[in-house]
Amino acid sequence: LYEIFNSVGPVGSIRVCRDGVSRRSLGYGYVNFHAVSDAERALDTLNYSSIKGRACRIMWSQRDPSLRKSGVGNIFVRNLDRNIDNKALYDTFSLFGNILSCKVACGPNGNSRGYGFVHYETEEAAKQAIERVNGMQIGDKTVEVTRFLKRDDREPAPLTYTNIYVKNVPPNFDEEMLKSMFGGYGTITSSAILEDAKGRKFSFINYETTESAQKAVEELNGKDLRTDEQKEEQKDDEEPGLLYVGRAQTKAERAREFKAKSAPVAGSQARQQGVNLYVKNLDEDITDASLKELFEAFGTITSSVAMKDEKDKCKGFGFVCFASPDEATKAVTEMHLKVVKGKPLYVGLAEKKEARQERLRQRYQPGAGMMGKGGKDGMGKGMGK
């Protein structure tokens, strides 16, 4: 990275931001030039150039996060031609004002998802872009340009679906039994019974109409398919394993739902009950119970959560909440950097995501507190990639 940007002008410092646990690059960094003119030249000549096979995006580093979070000047572009890349989107919208950032959303394989975002310096430029480009043909498609709204501010779209997901399927179920149970709610176009790594059966069923799928969900979700013998063998501390029937979700939707469910346990609820500690660099086999065992010698634990991925493996971090500050302090003193399963633990006070991101941004931004001169529009000479 230094070699690429130093070819434009003398570079003061470079920082590639990395994951705290794996140390893998997060895909962005900061470049600090000695001269504003060199930074401006890098922005003009290197923006959207290829670095190791990926087109990089370069913009002025914004020290004030409120500008990004406010949504002022930010627009959403829908129905993009799949051949439109970041540079083509920038060239189209730069006619209406100074762009702070511009990107086309892409999947893991690098292919366009068909939509993008453009963030202008002013609200006036964003309004002009919406008026001029909305309904215009770019490439082979007519685009829709609107003001960007955060997910919480959007009106929920009505659910229309035909594909449903079924879990807790009895071991003796086959395709014929499945179609017999679900076929009464409408025409089934396709169905499949699968097994996970633990041998548990689940199924996907696709109906011809949304009404059929919704009726099946309403009627069959929570249905008890256990025999009388299975009910008698059921232990008091075990979940009954009722049939789950719901709309089949995409991977992104499942991830958002999992995050929403996990956040209250690991965050606000735990903080209300005591002092919450953040523990990272955990082994993937750590569970809630084993995490609690590691810390219970230091005092009363009100909750312990090892954050899990979709495969039920620990994601490398978790939260432990103590009843009193003294117990939490003792745990940090004794457990920070202690080696558990071959890994030195990081143990510290848990903090809100926004506060942590701001602290890390201030810490890792090159030249913070060292630059006496202002950059473009008073933003400093640092540049974000």
Short mmCIF file of all heavy atoms in Angstrom, two decimals, residues 36 45 58 66 70 123 127 166-167 171 192 232 238 250 269:
data_model
loop_
_atom_site.label_atom_id
_atom_site.label_comp_id
_atom_site.label_asym_id
_atom_site.label_seq_id
_atom_site.Cartn_x
_atom_site.Cartn_y
_atom_site.Cartn_z
N VAL A 36 -1.16 18.49 1.27
CA VAL A 36 -2.55 18.40 0.83
C VAL A 36 -2.62 18.16 -0.68
O VAL A 36 -3.45 17.38 -1.17
CB VAL A 36 -3.32 19.68 1.20
CG1 VAL A 36 -4.74 19.62 0.67
CG2 VAL A 36 -3.33 19.87 2.70
N THR A 45 -6.02 10.45 -9.15
CA THR A 45 -5.37 9.47 -10.02
C THR A 45 -5.53 8.02 -9.60
O THR A 45 -5.48 7.11 -10.43
CB THR A 45 -3.86 9.78 -10.12
OG1 THR A 45 -3.28 9.72 -8.80
CG2 THR A 45 -3.63 11.17 -10.71
N ILE A 58 -11.29 5.66 -2.65
CA ILE A 58 -10.51 6.62 -1.84
C ILE A 58 -11.38 7.84 -1.57
O ILE A 58 -12.08 8.33 -2.46
CB ILE A 58 -9.22 7.05 -2.57
CG1 ILE A 58 -8.42 5.81 -2.98
CG2 ILE A 58 -8.38 7.94 -1.68
CD1 ILE A 58 -7.22 6.14 -3.85
N SER A 66 -20.71 11.98 12.98
CA SER A 66 -22.11 12.42 12.88
C SER A 66 -22.51 12.73 11.44
O SER A 66 -23.66 12.58 11.05
CB SER A 66 -22.35 13.65 13.76
OG SER A 66 -21.56 14.75 13.30
N SER A 70 -25.78 10.81 10.08
CA SER A 70 -26.98 11.64 9.95
C SER A 70 -27.81 11.29 8.71
O SER A 70 -29.02 11.48 8.70
CB SER A 70 -26.58 13.12 9.88
OG SER A 70 -25.87 13.38 8.69
N GLU A 123 -26.86 18.50 1.12
CA GLU A 123 -28.20 18.00 0.86
C GLU A 123 -28.74 18.52 -0.48
O GLU A 123 -29.49 17.82 -1.18
CB GLU A 123 -29.13 18.42 2.00
CG GLU A 123 -30.55 17.88 1.91
CD GLU A 123 -30.63 16.37 2.11
OE1 GLU A 123 -29.65 15.77 2.60
OE2 GLU A 123 -31.67 15.78 1.75
N LYS A 127 -30.45 16.32 -3.53
CA LYS A 127 -31.78 16.59 -4.08
C LYS A 127 -31.73 16.77 -5.59
O LYS A 127 -32.60 16.29 -6.32
CB LYS A 127 -32.37 17.85 -3.42
CG LYS A 127 -32.78 17.65 -1.97
CD LYS A 127 -33.32 18.94 -1.38
CE LYS A 127 -33.74 18.75 0.08
NZ LYS A 127 -34.21 20.01 0.69
N VAL A 166 -39.12 -25.72 7.47
CA VAL A 166 -39.70 -26.56 8.52
C VAL A 166 -38.56 -27.25 9.28
O VAL A 166 -37.70 -27.89 8.67
CB VAL A 166 -40.63 -27.65 7.94
CG1 VAL A 166 -41.32 -28.41 9.05
CG2 VAL A 166 -41.66 -27.03 6.99
N LYS A 167 -38.55 -27.09 10.61
CA LYS A 167 -37.54 -27.81 11.40
C LYS A 167 -38.23 -28.60 12.52
O LYS A 167 -39.43 -28.48 12.73
CB LYS A 167 -36.49 -26.87 11.95
CG LYS A 167 -36.92 -25.99 13.10
CD LYS A 167 -35.71 -25.20 13.63
CE LYS A 167 -36.13 -24.32 14.80
NZ LYS A 167 -34.99 -23.56 15.34
N PRO A 171 -37.99 -38.01 12.95
CA PRO A 171 -37.02 -38.85 12.24
C PRO A 171 -37.66 -39.80 11.22
O PRO A 171 -37.03 -40.15 10.23
CB PRO A 171 -36.34 -39.64 13.37
CG PRO A 171 -36.56 -38.83 14.60
CD PRO A 171 -37.88 -38.16 14.42
N ALA A 192 -38.26 -30.70 -0.23
CA ALA A 192 -37.06 -31.51 0.02
C ALA A 192 -36.89 -31.69 1.51
O ALA A 192 -37.13 -30.76 2.31
CB ALA A 192 -35.82 -30.84 -0.57
N GLU A 232 -43.75 -38.91 27.27
CA GLU A 232 -43.42 -39.45 28.60
C GLU A 232 -41.92 -39.45 28.85
O GLU A 232 -41.47 -39.23 29.98
CB GLU A 232 -43.99 -40.87 28.75
CG GLU A 232 -45.51 -40.93 28.82
CD GLU A 232 -46.02 -42.36 28.87
OE1 GLU A 232 -45.18 -43.28 28.94
OE2 GLU A 232 -47.25 -42.56 28.86
N GLU A 238 -35.78 -30.21 29.12
CA GLU A 238 -35.60 -30.24 27.67
C GLU A 238 -36.76 -29.53 26.96
O GLU A 238 -37.90 -29.57 27.41
CB GLU A 238 -35.53 -31.68 27.16
CG GLU A 238 -34.23 -32.39 27.52
CD GLU A 238 -34.20 -33.80 26.95
OE1 GLU A 238 -35.25 -34.29 26.48
OE2 GLU A 238 -33.13 -34.43 27.00
N THR A 250 -33.29 -15.63 3.91
CA THR A 250 -31.96 -15.61 3.29
C THR A 250 -30.92 -15.64 4.40
O THR A 250 -31.22 -15.41 5.58
CB THR A 250 -31.77 -14.35 2.45
OG1 THR A 250 -31.82 -13.20 3.32
CG2 THR A 250 -32.85 -14.22 1.39
N GLN A 269 -29.24 -5.73 28.74
CA GLN A 269 -29.81 -6.47 29.86
C GLN A 269 -28.73 -6.82 30.88
O GLN A 269 -28.92 -6.69 32.08
CB GLN A 269 -30.48 -7.75 29.35
CG GLN A 269 -31.12 -8.56 30.47
CD GLN A 269 -31.78 -9.83 29.93
OE1 GLN A 269 -32.08 -9.93 28.74
NE2 GLN A 269 -31.98 -10.78 30.78
#
